[in-house]
Amino acid sequence: MFAERVLSGMRPTGRLHLGHYHGVLKNWVKLQAEYPCLFFVADWHALTTDYDNPKGIENSVWDMVVDWLAAGVDPSQATIFIQSRVPEHAELHLLMSMMTPLGWLERVPTYKDQQEKLASKDLSTYGFLGYPLLMSADILIYRADKVPVGEDQLPHVEFTRELARRFNHMYGREPGFEEKAKEAIKKLGSKRARLYEEFRTRFQQNGDDEGLALGKALLEEAQSLSHGDRERLYGYLEGGGKMILVEPGALLTEASRMPGLDGQKMSKSYGNTIFLREEAEPLAKKIRTMQTDPARVRRTDAGDPERCPVWQFHVLYSDETTRNWVTQGCKSAGIGCLECKQPVIEAVLKEQEAMRERAQPYLDDPSLVRSIVADGCDKARKLAQETMREVRDAMGLSYS
Ligand code: SF4
């Protein structure tokens, strides 16, 4: 049950651009080959800041999922779903809101930052304050132990870990826990039971982390245990109560180095983007008219690639030989800027061509996308329901 699992989501903001591709999607494509992955459209998150303008959300969702597929996210490897189609996220959010101290939410670093950044919007709402809690519910409901985040989002993962700890501490102490755990040990079989006791003693008496790791590995392998017993034994191993929610770990991802056409961060609000699946001619035109080193006013002026946004594209798209050609040609005024941009245009077009090809079947038949998402929602919902049964049980809401 506590198998490795990656969870990551994206707000539906419509068509994606190269910044999303290099910052997030390329990493998703890599992760899907390494772990079971759940990728979701965070449509409720979009409403925390755009509650007054929900009209575009639906179209944005489908455009975005087509971009994911175009970028190489593979539904046979990863589960793709929409947050609001799995209402258990909202239930866990609500139940956790009962035990989340208000101060914890107010102290989340992005709370004040975002309010200041989006000063034109009225974000003094309950939904916006609770947004980190919703994010925690998204993670905890799948017992996802790997959350890809940039450094700036680490506090969110830590917040989620604290919440899981608080929840387990508060509700994981079921009556007769110790007796139930001992009964569960017997179900491991005599050899495994003996090893489990040995690993538990090593960890609890000597603080031996290897003992803890071995105990966890043993539980992962023990197929015959029910979910409830497995949770008890995880908790008993660590010396706590029943572990209901799993503390996630962060998978630190490098910040995207993809600059916009003007050298600033690529962002729709700066109007400096290249969209995924953009038509060849406008795309080439955008790169041809990109800013360059301001010192190169005339063709005969020498330039410095480090002061030129085009160079950042070469760093991402060109091989060493091309990069040497650029450096020498720019510094000696041996090449012109249009000449310098040509390999970038070709490389981006090539990348886009593969994306357009992958997207075409979904554009021809949008029902394919609907059915991928419907399947993903079913799979995600089953996992979420499994957790919610334990959560309801622990909070006295199972009514069985
Ligand atoms: S030659 Fe290339 S790197 Fe140099 S200023 Fe022109 S576009 Fe930029």
Side-chain angles (χ1 to χ4, degrees):
M1 176 169 61
F2 299 130
E4 291 181 311
R5 197 174 282 159
V6 170
L7 178 99
S8 191
M10 216 187 258
R11 285 182 183 216
T13 49
R15 288 182 65 189
L16 301 182
H17 53 66
L18 286 184
H20 296 110
Y21 178 63
H22 289 280
V24 181
L25 294 174
K26 252 169 59 175
N27 192 35
W28 283 11
V29 171
K30 187 170 143 275
L31 287 171
Q32 71 186 1
E34 296 170 5
Y35 305 104
C37 288
L38 294 143
F39 299 134
F40 72 101
V41 178
D43 54 347
W44 279 335
H45 284 282
L47 287 173
T48 60
T49 48
D50 292 321
Y51 57 88
D52 54 347
N53 183 27
K55 276 210 181 88
I57 288 184
E58 189 169 359
N59 285 339
S60 294
V61 167
W62 299 119
D63 284 346
M64 187 170 82
V65 174
V66 172
D67 278 337
W68 290 2
L69 297 165
V73 175
D74 177 358
S76 70
Q77 289 186 287
T79 304
I80 298 173
F81 67 99
I82 299 174
Q83 183 186 31
S84 66
R85 298 272 176 95
V86 185
E88 284 77 8
H89 286 235
E91 186 183 356
L92 185 58
H93 177 215
L94 172 86
L95 292 179
M96 290 201 307
S97 76
M98 307 298 175
M99 47 136 269
T100 304
L102 209 46
W104 286 21
L105 289 166
E106 287 163 344
R107 278 199 304 273
V108 171
T110 46
Y111 178 60
K112 289 235 154 59
D113 281 6
Q114 286 287 312
Q115 270 189 329
E116 279 161 23
K117 244 190 224 161
L118 303 171
S120 58
K121 293 178 187 262
D122 179 5
L123 293 180
S124 50
T125 58
Y126 172 63
F128 184 69
L129 178 68
Y131 147 70
L133 187 58
L134 181 58
M135 209 152 92
S136 297
D138 298 333
I139 298 168
L140 293 171
I141 204 156
Y142 298 107
R143 290 158 163 162
D145 60 339
K146 292 186 171 46
V147 185
V149 286
E151 209 151 336
D152 55 328
Q153 292 159 312
L154 281 175
H156 279 296
V157 178
E158 190 46 42
F159 173 79
T160 307
R161 291 169 63 82
E162 279 171 17
L163 273 174
R165 246 173 267 149
R166 184 174 166 86
F167 187 97
N168 290 334
H169 181 71
M170 222 172 245
Y171 305 111
R173 291 199 201 142
E174 59 183 341
F177 171 72
E178 191 140 346
E179 288 71 33
K180 285 182 185 167
K182 284 182 179 158
E183 278 306 308
I185 293 174
K186 287 184 198 156
K187 293 178 196 162
L188 287 170
S190 59
K191 189 174 164 209
R192 278 211 173 103
R194 203 175 56 249
L195 283 171
Y196 175 85
E197 292 281 21
E198 185 191 315
F199 297 146
R200 180 172 177 267
T201 311
R202 272 172 62 181
F203 176 64
Q204 292 201 9
Q205 290 186 2
N206 312 325
D208 177 357
D209 288 336
E210 196 193 358
L212 177 64
L214 288 168
K216 284 183 177 174
L218 180 143
L219 291 176
E220 265 163 40
E221 282 167 16
Q223 302 293 332
S224 57
L225 288 177
S226 68
H227 293 317
D229 278 341
R230 200 184 303 266
E231 282 158 6
R232 275 179 203 108
L233 291 186
Y234 272 112
Y236 195 57
L237 182 70
E238 296 196 56
K242 188 173 167 185
M243 192 191 293
I244 300 159
L245 299 177
V246 176
E247 289 180 39
L251 267 184
L252 203 57
T253 53
E254 252 182 68
S256 165
R257 287 176 301 152
M258 186 78 227
L261 293 162
D262 54 1
Q264 294 187 76
K265 187 178 173 217
M266 189 176 275
S267 159
K268 261 196 244 177
S269 49
Y270 298 149
N272 63 2
T273 55
I274 294 175
F275 290 107
L276 301 192
R277 303 183 282 125
E278 189 151 338
E279 289 300 324
E281 203 29 60
L283 187 154
K285 192 174 166 203
K286 276 183 179 177
I287 299 177
R288 258 185 243 121
T289 52
M290 259 181 89
Q291 290 177 19
T292 59
D293 176 0
R296 280 203 89 179
V297 181
R298 286 176 297 268
R299 165 72 175 75
T300 47
D301 293 331
D304 179 359
E306 294 298 333
R307 288 204 299 259
C308 174
V310 180
W311 172 247
Q312 296 306 319
F313 278 68
H314 277 296
V315 170
L316 277 166
Y317 283 98
S318 300
D319 58 20
E320 206 184 330
T321 316
T322 311
R323 288 203 300 266
N324 287 340
W325 169 76
V326 171
T327 311
Q328 281 166 12
C330 179
K331 289 185 173 173
S332 63
I335 57 170
C337 291
L338 275 179
E339 215 179 322
C340 175
K341 288 170 176 176
Q342 193 53 35
V344 171
I345 295 175
E346 283 162 20
V348 177
L349 279 175
K350 195 168 162 215
E351 186 178 72
Q352 297 266 337
E353 202 180 295
M355 291 190 201
R356 266 198 299 271
E357 268 172 30
R358 277 194 291 262
Q360 201 53 51
Y362 303 113
L363 298 174
D364 293 342
D365 182 1
S367 73
L368 290 176
V369 186
R370 305 293 197 271
S371 116
I372 287 169
V373 169
D375 275 1
C377 291
D378 281 350
K379 280 189 206 150
R381 200 150 187 221
K382 281 196 185 95
L383 294 172
Q385 283 170 341
E386 211 173 83
T387 308
M388 284 317 297
R389 267 195 295 278
E390 303 290 340
V391 168
R392 285 185 212 118
D393 220 15
M395 294 183 82
L397 300 165
S398 54
Y399 303 108
S400 52

